[in-house]
Amino acid sequence: MFVVDTQIHIWKEEAPGRPWVPGARERIRLNGHREDLFSYEEALDLMDEAGVNRALPPSWEGDRIDYALEACEAHPDRFGIMARIPQNKPEEGRAMLADFARNPHVKGVRLTFHRPIDRNWMIDGTNDWYWPVAEELNVPTSSNGSWAAASPRS
């Protein structure tokens, strides 16, 4: 059986040149996650132990995907990315989507609506711009990180 984990997160330590998004440390504590780094190397060891073939880490550190890209470049057969975009910044989001559509490691976009800031964006029209752009660029979209293995971007 081929197993894909769509809820894995990998991250580097928070540092002045690599700040986490505001509130991330509090959320990590509330959700019972560990605060120290979780490297893709460690993730690979645990994936092997659990029989997981591939993982699609969304960005833990906001909209940046540089560390996930590093994992993909080192292990393209084991990692892909469900990227995030700033849903409340249409121009920036459009540019990111265009870049993601050309990047073979980005398998789609993960939208989230669980924080107080983004909870109403599906209702108030904040991210209405997203859907036609994602459709035009053929970017698979998830609201929980899942990505079908049969996706045309597999």
Side-chain angles (χ1 to χ4, degrees):
M1 176 176 11
F2 193 84
V3 178
V4 179
D5 187 336
T6 62
Q7 198 52 43
I8 186 174
H9 293 276
I10 56 175
W11 63 89
K12 289 186 173 185
E13 294 282 0
E14 184 174 27
R18 189 176 195 87
W20 289 2
V21 294
R25 189 156 305 275
E26 291 76 25
R27 280 197 327 274
I28 206 170
R29 287 182 188 137
L30 287 172
N31 291 323
H33 295 296
R34 67 192 223 185
E35 292 184 50
D36 54 332
L37 80 121
F38 184 57
S39 70
Y40 63 83
E41 293 95 346
E42 184 177 356
L44 283 171
D45 289 341
L46 293 171
M47 289 165 58
D48 289 343
E49 184 179 317
V52 174
N53 302 92
R54 181 180 293 161
L56 300 163
S59 173
W60 173 253
E61 303 162 290
D63 300 325
R64 69 187 305 157
I65 62 169
D66 56 323
Y67 189 55
L69 280 173
E70 182 181 322
C72 291
E73 289 164 3
H75 302 278
D77 58 327
R78 302 296 303 273
F79 291 107
I81 302 168
M82 290 302 289
R84 293 188 189 174
I85 57 154
Q87 298 176 71
N88 61 336
K89 299 176 183 173
E91 293 307 313
E92 186 178 337
R94 278 185 188 93
M96 290 174 78
L97 278 173
D99 287 342
F100 294 160
R102 293 185 298 268
N103 188 322
H105 298 303
V106 177
K107 306 303 181 184
V109 168
R110 179 182 185 195
L111 303 178
T112 57
F113 305 100
H114 63 282
R115 300 170 302 167
I117 188 173
D118 56 31
R119 197 164 286 145
N120 291 316
W121 288 352
M122 287 286 284
I123 299 165
D124 68 13
T126 298
N127 75 339
D128 285 354
W129 67 269
Y130 173 81
W131 305 104
V133 176
E135 184 174 16
E136 175 188 331
L137 296 171
N138 195 29
V139 175
T141 302
S142 169
S143 63
N144 66 358
S146 46
W147 168 63
S151 166
R153 299 195 53 172
S154 62

